[in-house]
Amino acid sequence: MCNSSAQYRVESDSLGELQVPADKLYGVQTQRCLIFFPIGGEFERQPFALVIAIAVVKKACAEVNAEFGLDPSIARAISQACDEVISGELYADHFPVPIWQSGAGTASNMNANEVICNRAIEILGGKVGTKTPVHPLDHVNMGQSTNDIIPSSMNIAVAHEINKSLLPSLNKIKSSLNAKAEEFSKIIKVGRTHVQDAVPLTLGQEFSGYVEQLNTGINQIKAALPRLYLLNIGGTAIGTGINQYQNFDKKCVAKIAEFTGLPFQVTPNKFEATAASDCMVLISGVLNHVATSLTKISNDIRFMSSGPRCGIGEISLPENEPGSSIMPGKINPTHCDSMGAVCAQVMGNHVAITIACSNGHFELNVFRIMIVSNVLQSVRLLGDSCLCTAKFCIDGIKANIPTIEKHLTNCLMLVTALNPHIGYDRSSKIALYAHHEGLTLREAAEKMGISKQQFDEWVKPELMIQPQPYKPKGGSCINSR
């Protein structure tokens, strides 16, 4: 492919001539972007998933355009070139445009048009850069605009990554947490509110809360997905469909659904889909919700495992790697740390996406490549983090029973079980007396008039982890003694 011995070739567009690297399949318009927007370096390139999605759209358009008069041989060559882009083999060398480009993804669309065009020219035996017999705009971009290709490609890329990566990973970490909830269902421990001792619950109940948090997030993602399945192909420049044929949109979207295996449909309003990127801020908001839940979960796991001897230490995490370059034997909650950093990035991405989506003006939003790059990064980071945290952290969590029992025995908030029998005020005095005098709750209760028999009958942690059957009593249930 494009193995000219010359270092550069000369190409021209409406603004004049430019030199383009001879070994590249992109052309003059991509080169202009590289000249005028050298922002961020090689690591700030348009996302791989977006390039693949653009190629899917271009392939569908070529095949439908053949039905509307495009030379079948050109359509086949374009389709074959798109397949090579979709395979990933052309991305590294031929799709260099940065995220930080002008317009609503014009450079990304032009880059794809040029690469697909030149590869199609090669397939047909022509010379790269001549625009013969395939033209990047007249043929590859036939009946299209950046303003319907890029929004549709954004939706395709994000929907694909969510289905392929994020949802399976979230289900995996949810499954891992659920397995621990079942494993720990009989282990009674101290609960905590305000990071202070509270009434007991089981370790399994605590983990079941994490399961439900993730279940809510998964359901929210699934509820948002149908919005991503709406594509504005055929809307062209501003949603009117200028330079397009009737039913082109339906035929293209049907092919995209066939190629991807996802239920894409034509959006009911191409003006909204062209002018706004609300579906992106919607899905980013859900990702922000998931990041919030995962931050809470990872922090709880971090604190419960703190120690191992001078912290809470109720659970132990797998010992995956040394935690310090100076303190021998130190093991840190590394996956909790990593998850926290990922979630912070996702939250930051959501802020940027929110600002960008709010700044669409009239019939177009011009920040789309930044928007989709942030969404795709959030999806990928959350998916990867959930998968490795489940595998290397949660699956290996063990309960430290002796520590849990010690904390439970020393918990002053077991006094809550006395409320129905002696009242809140008297129970409070017992708890504070025990705390100030360094006594156990049982010892303090005995000194304040509660017999050992009464205390043992009333204060049973196993009866404090769920509501108890109602047992009617005559008169007041509170002993005011």
Side-chain angles (χ1 to χ4, degrees):
M1 298 177 197
C2 197
N3 293 318
S4 171
S5 58
Q7 190 174 3
Y8 292 98
R9 65 178 186 270
V10 176
E11 289 194 21
S12 63
D13 59 12
S14 60
L15 296 180
E17 293 185 341
L18 273 182
Q19 287 187 325
V20 178
D23 62 342
K24 303 302 182 185
L25 288 172
Y26 59 75
V28 61
Q29 300 205 46
T30 301
Q31 189 65 29
R32 288 192 187 282
C33 179
L34 297 178
I35 292 170
F36 293 111
F37 298 94
I39 301 172
E42 61 178 311
F43 298 108
E44 294 290 296
R45 295 168 62 189
Q46 59 185 333
F48 175 76
L50 178 66
V51 170
I52 303 309
I54 293 172
V56 168
V57 176
K58 297 290 181 182
K59 177 179 173 68
C61 290
E63 294 187 5
V64 173
N65 277 327
E67 301 178 29
F68 290 107
L70 178 62
D71 185 311
S73 65
I74 291 177
R76 285 193 295 271
I78 291 173
S79 181
Q80 182 179 334
C82 288
D83 286 337
E84 293 181 13
V85 175
I86 293 167
S87 74
E89 62 183 275
L90 302 181
Y91 175 73
D93 293 330
H94 305 290
F95 289 89
V97 301
I99 294 168
W100 315 105
Q101 56 185 266
S102 67
T106 300
S108 292
N109 187 40
M110 294 296 194
N111 186 190
N113 287 333
E114 291 176 338
V115 171
I116 293 166
C117 170
N118 281 323
R119 182 63 192 120
I121 288 173
E122 286 187 326
I123 291 168
L124 294 172
K127 184 178 179 181
V128 167
T130 61
K131 302 180 183 178
T132 302
V134 185
H135 192 282
L137 299 179
D138 294 338
H139 299 137
V140 181
N141 199 63
M142 180 179 177
Q144 304 155 49
S145 165
T146 293
N147 300 344
D148 62 349
I149 294 300
I150 295 301
S152 296
S153 300
M154 290 166 64
N155 285 21
I156 293 167
V158 173
H160 180 263
E161 291 299 304
I162 286 174
N163 281 286
K164 181 189 78 170
S165 172
L166 181 57
L167 284 175
S169 296
L170 282 171
N171 279 312
K172 167 55 182 168
I173 194 170
K174 185 184 84 168
S175 176
S176 294
L177 289 166
N178 191 58
K180 291 300 170 182
E182 294 177 359
E183 178 184 344
F184 300 151
S185 64
K186 304 297 184 183
I187 301 173
I188 302 174
K189 57 156 284 183
V190 173
R192 294 178 179 87
T193 60
H194 302 266
V195 203
Q196 304 293 309
D197 301 345
V199 293
L201 77 169
T202 69
L203 187 57
Q205 287 172 327
E206 197 161 30
F207 271 73
S208 76
Y210 308 149
V211 174
E212 186 57 31
Q213 279 187 277
L214 292 184
N215 197 49
T216 299
I218 290 169
N219 288 337
Q220 285 187 334
I221 291 172
K222 290 179 178 178
L225 271 175
R227 183 60 186 82
L228 291 177
Y229 293 143
L230 301 177
L231 307 182
N232 69 326
I233 295 291
T236 61
I238 60 172
T240 60
I242 187 174
N243 290 349
Q244 194 44 268
Y245 298 104
Q246 290 182 358
N247 294 321
F248 176 87
D249 53 356
K250 294 177 182 178
K251 289 176 178 288
C252 277
V253 173
K255 285 188 175 292
I256 292 168
E258 177 188 343
F259 297 158
T260 62
L262 296 174
F264 291 108
Q265 302 175 41
V266 177
T267 183
N269 192 305
K270 294 186 177 71
F271 302 101
E272 181 274 338
T274 305
S277 290
D278 288 2
C279 63
M280 289 292 137
V281 79
L282 169 65
I283 198 68
S284 179
V286 176
L287 299 178
N288 188 69
H289 172 103
V290 171
T292 302
S293 297
L294 287 169
T295 299
K296 196 272 184 192
I297 293 166
S298 62
N299 278 336
D300 278 9
I301 291 172
R302 178 206 312 276
F303 295 138
M304 274 194 281
S305 68
S306 62
R309 295 189 176 182
C310 301
I312 294 175
E314 292 177 339
I315 60 174
S316 295
L317 307 184
E319 298 175 351
N320 293 327
E321 55 191 335
S324 173
S325 63
I326 190 172
M327 293 176 280
K330 193 174 193 298
I331 304 295
N332 293 331
T334 50
H335 282 86
C336 296
D337 299 344
S338 175
M339 177 69 80
V342 162
C343 292
Q345 182 65 50
V346 172
M347 293 173 189
N349 284 350
H350 182 55
V351 173
I353 291 164
T354 302
I355 294 170
C357 288
S358 70
N359 274 275
H361 304 119
F362 297 115
E363 277 65 60
L364 191 64
N365 185 299
V366 299
F367 299 148
R368 282 196 160 119
I369 303 303
M370 181 273 271
I371 292 168
V372 71
S373 297
N374 278 11
V375 174
L376 287 170
Q377 185 191 48
S378 293
V379 169
R380 181 63 184 269
L381 288 177
L382 286 173
D384 289 354
S385 183
C386 286
L387 205 58
C388 69
T389 299
K391 180 179 180 181
F392 297 115
C393 179
I394 294 170
D395 288 347
I397 290 176
K398 298 184 183 301
N400 296 330
I401 304 298
T403 301
I404 289 173
E405 290 179 346
K406 177 183 176 183
H407 288 335
L408 185 62
T409 299
N410 289 331
C411 179
L412 296 179
M413 290 305 100
L414 294 180
V415 75
T416 307
L418 296 178
N419 285 2
H421 305 284
I422 64 173
Y424 182 97
D425 291 341
R426 193 174 173 204
S427 298
S428 179
K429 290 178 181 179
I430 291 174
L432 291 172
Y433 180 68
H435 178 54
H436 295 152
E437 298 299 322
L439 303 173
T440 67
L441 189 63
R442 194 169 187 266
E443 290 169 341
E446 187 177 357
K447 287 181 177 293
M448 298 188 71
I450 306 298
S451 70
K452 294 179 181 179
Q453 181 180 358
Q454 286 177 312
F455 185 89
D456 292 340
E457 179 183 348
W458 293 339
V459 182
K460 294 181 178 180
E462 66 272 17
L463 298 181
M464 299 177 69
I465 59 175
Q466 61 188 357
Q468 296 300 307
Y470 174 65
K471 296 179 180 180
K473 298 179 180 179
S476 172
C477 67
I478 296 177
N479 182 349
S480 60
R481 176 182 173 186

